[in-house]
């Protein structure tokens, strides 16, 4: 099973470039645009091996709170 990387990045171009590069390297990538998306992803019982967080991402929580959880 491929390593799963969750990317939280509000900037669509930056997120897409990073996600495509990681996919080309063989990783499974989940793209999210807000802290709410990341929270919902994990609340649904899904898991990730690596999470890349945009520190100033929009949403109810900031990236530091997400990382703490």
């Amino acid at each position: 099973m491929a390593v799963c990387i969750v990317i939280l990045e509000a900037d669509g171009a930056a997120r897409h470039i990073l996600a495509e590069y990681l996919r080309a390297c063989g990783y499974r990538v989940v793209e999210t645009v807000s802290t709410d998306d990341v929270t919902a992803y994990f609340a649904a019982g899904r898991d990730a091996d690596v999470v890349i967080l945009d520190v100033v991402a929009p949403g109810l929580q900031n990236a530091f709170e997400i990382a703490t959880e």
Side-chain angles (χ1 to χ4, degrees):
M1 177 184 274
V3 170
C4 178
I5 300 175
V6 173
I7 300 173
L8 167 57
E9 173 57 60
D11 182 300
R15 185 181 63 253
H16 179 73
I17 290 168
L18 178 58
E20 288 304 307
Y21 173 76
L22 292 170
R23 286 184 183 110
C25 291
Y27 297 104
R28 187 168 60 90
V29 178
V30 176
E31 299 179 54
T32 62
V33 298
S34 72
T35 58
D36 300 337
D37 292 343
V38 172
T39 302
Y41 175 84
F42 288 113
R46 298 181 191 120
D47 201 7
D49 299 294
V50 177
V51 180
I52 300 173
L53 297 171
D54 177 353
V55 176
V56 292
L60 296 176
Q61 294 179 296
N62 65 44
F64 293 110
E65 291 169 331
I66 295 289
T68 301
E69 287 181 21

